[in-house]
Amino acid sequence: MTGKTKYTQSSQQQKRIQFFLASFLLLPFLLVCIVESLLKLFIPKKRKSVTGEIVLITGAGHGIGRQTAYEFAKLKCKLVLWDINKHGLEETATECKRLGAKAHTFVVDCSNREDIYSSAKKVKAEVGDVSILVNNAGVVYTSDLFATQDPQIEKTFEVNILAHFWTTKAFLPEMMKNNHGHIVTVASAAGHTGVPFLLAYCSSKFAAVGFHKALTEELSALKRTGVKTTCLCPNFINTGFIKNPSTSLGPTLEPEEVVNKLIDGILTEQKMIFVPSSLNFLSLMEKVLPERFQAILKRKIDIRFDAVIGYKMKGK
């Protein structure tokens, strides 16, 4: 062993010791943060005003996107509605206008990067700079790996995560310039735990959760703390995309219930929203519980839905 190698190893060991000592000295601060968090549970959070903000919602022609548009309309926001479904989009816009909001519709294919970029240019020219971006558009295919066609896997990632990159790249610069804005990522509980026969969907939603977390850290590193981020992670929702879903965690959620939690989370600037809130605890437990116990717990949760199985077991 050379002298240089010994020096390098000694230096690395010294750094590790310094890190553990520094971490130990943070324990009193940890206790303060825990107490602070517990106190916040009993103190109503201040809700910010979003009156006059330009809100862009992808996937606004149905389900969560449509209901989110209605709630922002009630808050006197100017709405930019994107969806590939023109009829659904127009229905959403009509109701938003009845609620007293201005609503601009754009038929956009969120699986197409160039369509996203060209539509973003039109929005800036015709409506103005978006200050709240809700990346909600999503697709899901309920099938095992072998029954999920290659184009379906590609589309899942194009819509569920790559579109988040393209919309954020298009609208975030102006938010950063003003140090004001909000990026909302609609992910899923499936972005925190694996579910059989939702392989492509889970993978894309894990990526969406990672996108939200990394973007949050990047904005902090760039000192653009006026641009807020929120990630929504709900359980099964009654939108018709997944057939006959059930779980022992409770009944299938209605869009109105989920969107009420989302809007409250945006207005109080929550970073991560689980619906139901018990998913927060389960997500934490998955990080600390032994693997064998987790397997039993998942069987107890008993997630079920209709799915296409391409793999054929022997004897069947």
Side-chain angles (χ1 to χ4, degrees):
M1 187 180 291
T2 65
K4 188 176 180 180
T5 305
K6 285 181 181 179
Y7 174 77
T8 302
Q9 288 179 342
S10 175
S11 177
Q12 289 174 345
Q13 191 173 9
Q14 232 177 5
K15 285 181 180 179
R16 282 196 292 267
I17 292 169
Q18 287 171 353
F19 171 76
F20 286 119
L21 284 172
S23 300
F24 181 76
L25 292 172
L26 283 173
L27 285 177
F29 181 63
L30 172 62
L31 293 173
V32 171
C33 290
I34 291 170
V35 172
E36 184 182 52
S37 296
L38 291 171
L39 287 173
K40 283 181 179 179
L41 293 174
F42 303 99
I43 301 171
K45 293 177 181 176
K46 185 180 178 182
R47 293 160 70 91
K48 68 181 179 182
S49 172
V50 292
T51 301
E53 301 278 6
I54 298 178
V55 182
L56 188 150
I57 304 166
T58 67
H62 179 80
I64 293 296
R66 170 176 286 180
Q67 198 63 37
T68 302
Y70 293 166
E71 293 304 315
F72 273 118
K74 294 173 188 175
L75 294 168
K76 298 180 174 58
C77 296
K78 185 184 289 187
L79 298 169
V80 179
L81 309 175
W82 283 14
D83 203 288
I84 198 169
N85 180 345
K86 184 179 180 180
H87 178 68
L89 200 56
E90 289 173 349
E91 284 185 345
T92 303
T94 298
E95 178 61 16
C96 288
K97 289 172 183 175
R98 190 192 69 78
L99 291 167
K102 290 183 179 179
H104 305 262
T105 60
F106 295 80
V107 177
V108 184
D109 179 1
C110 284
S111 69
N112 186 311
R113 180 181 59 190
E114 295 310 317
D115 198 11
I116 289 172
Y117 282 156
S118 63
S119 298
K121 287 180 181 177
K122 289 178 187 175
V123 169
K124 292 174 187 178
E126 298 173 19
V127 186
D129 293 317
V130 170
S131 51
I132 300 177
L133 171 63
V134 183
N135 279 314
N136 164 74
V139 297
V140 57
Y141 299 99
T142 50
S143 51
D144 71 347
L145 176 63
F146 305 103
T148 311
Q149 299 171 15
D150 291 358
Q152 292 176 326
I153 294 171
E154 290 171 346
K155 188 163 188 176
T156 299
F157 279 85
E158 285 165 354
V159 177
N160 292 5
I161 180 58
L162 290 178
H164 293 218
F165 281 87
W166 316 144
T167 56
T168 303
K169 285 185 77 174
F171 297 112
L172 182 59
E174 200 61 31
M175 296 186 201
M176 293 181 72
K177 179 182 174 183
N178 299 322
N179 197 23
H180 172 81
H182 208 128
I183 305 289
V184 181
T185 301
V186 177
S188 168
H192 294 269
T193 187
V195 181
F197 317 127
L198 284 176
L199 182 54
Y201 183 76
C202 283
S203 302
S204 68
K205 292 301 182 179
F206 264 86
V209 172
F211 173 87
H212 158 75
K213 290 183 176 180
L215 178 62
T216 302
E217 294 302 322
E218 193 162 298
L219 289 168
S220 176
L222 294 171
K223 295 181 170 47
R224 298 291 88 186
T225 53
V227 181
K228 307 301 180 181
T229 58
T230 294
C231 184
L232 174 69
C233 297
N235 201 359
F236 290 125
I237 307 172
N238 185 22
T239 55
F241 289 128
I242 295 179
K243 304 298 181 185
N244 300 315
S246 68
T247 167
S248 61
L249 291 174
T252 301
L253 302 167
E254 292 300 324
E256 294 82 359
E257 177 188 358
V258 176
V259 171
N260 284 340
K261 296 284 187 184
L262 173 60
I263 295 295
D264 183 65
I266 292 169
L267 298 182
T268 56
E269 298 179 346
Q270 294 178 45
K271 286 191 168 55
M272 187 70 68
I273 305 166
F274 287 96
V275 187
S277 56
S278 58
L279 292 174
N280 196 0
F281 176 75
L282 290 172
S283 176
L284 177 64
M285 289 299 97
E286 187 162 5
K287 293 178 175 67
V288 298
L289 291 174
E291 189 175 332
R292 189 178 171 193
F293 184 83
Q294 285 185 43
I296 296 169
L297 184 62
K298 285 181 179 180
R299 284 200 294 271
K300 294 290 183 185
I301 293 173
D302 193 28
I303 297 172
R304 295 171 182 247
F305 50 87
D306 293 350
V308 177
I309 313 299
Y311 176 71
K312 303 298 181 186
M313 296 179 69
K314 291 181 180 179
K316 292 192 178 183

